[in-house]
Amino acid sequence: MIDYASILQQSQLDIILNILEHLSIIGTDGAKQNDCSITLLTRNPDLGLPADVLKKYPQIINIALQHRFYDLVVDRSEKKIRVTVEFSGRTVPLTIPFGDLLVFSDKAGQEVQLADGTIGYQPFSIYAVPPVEIQAILTESTPKEKVDETVTPPVEKDGNIIRPTFGR
């Protein structure tokens, strides 16, 4: 039997990796026109988050890839993303295993023609992990906390950090 869910999930991850590879080529100058971010798990000790950031974001973190990111590399052979970002003025190199990547978003999105004929922008998000699995991860980590059935966009910004609410 064909495992459509696995094929679709792998395809979505490939799309995210292709976009990140494109971002690595255009760099921060090209990314300024977009409002990209990646949401990832923070539990992996190899990630490289400073202790104070990890304390503030013990489960997941949303990292902006717009103004202050450097040395973005997608290493498909090691199945890791490497990127240097800034946290409160500190430059921090991160190593993100593909398995810890949850969502790629671009609030600026893509140009679309609206019903009235004008041009607008539609936000774009793609999930490396189905939203139901993200909810399960959050629920597993915080069993007493109820998680909404919808995944909401990030709302708080602190430099390169965007704190996702995920219905809380």
Side-chain angles (χ1 to χ4, degrees), residues 13-152:
L13 176 61
D14 286 339
I15 291 168
I16 293 170
L17 298 177
N18 289 339
I19 292 168
L20 292 174
E21 287 169 336
H22 183 73
L23 275 176
S24 74
I25 293 167
I26 64 172
T28 55
D29 287 339
K32 286 178 185 173
Q33 299 169 350
N34 297 84
D35 191 358
C36 300
S37 65
I38 52 175
T39 304
L40 53 121
L41 296 172
T42 59
R43 296 183 270 192
N44 189 326
D46 297 331
L47 180 60
L49 283 175
D52 60 319
V53 175
L54 188 56
K55 185 176 181 180
K56 193 172 179 181
Y57 305 96
Q59 296 173 322
I60 59 171
I61 191 168
N62 213 1
I63 303 206
L65 297 175
Q66 185 177 19
H67 298 290
R68 295 174 299 215
F69 73 95
Y70 316 94
D71 307 321
L72 175 60
V73 175
V74 176
D75 187 334
R76 290 181 185 255
S77 63
E78 289 189 28
K79 296 186 178 186
K80 294 181 180 180
I81 299 161
R82 290 182 179 75
V83 64
T84 301
V85 296
E86 287 185 20
F87 295 106
S88 304
R90 294 174 291 171
T91 319
V92 179
L94 300 178
T95 301
I96 307 159
F98 289 178
D100 290 348
L101 184 61
L102 301 176
V103 183
F104 171 87
S105 297
D106 183 354
K107 285 191 246 173
Q110 56 193 14
E111 197 173 278
V112 293
Q113 185 169 2
L114 302 175
D116 65 1
T118 61
I119 300 297
Y121 292 90
Q122 179 177 355
F124 175 80
S125 290
I126 189 162
Y127 294 85
V129 175
V132 151
E133 289 183 30
I134 296 171
Q135 293 167 5
I137 291 166
L138 293 174
T139 303
E140 173 185 304
S141 299
T142 55
K144 294 179 182 174
E145 196 171 327
K146 185 179 184 287
V147 178
D148 272 350
E149 292 185 16
T150 59
V151 179
T152 58

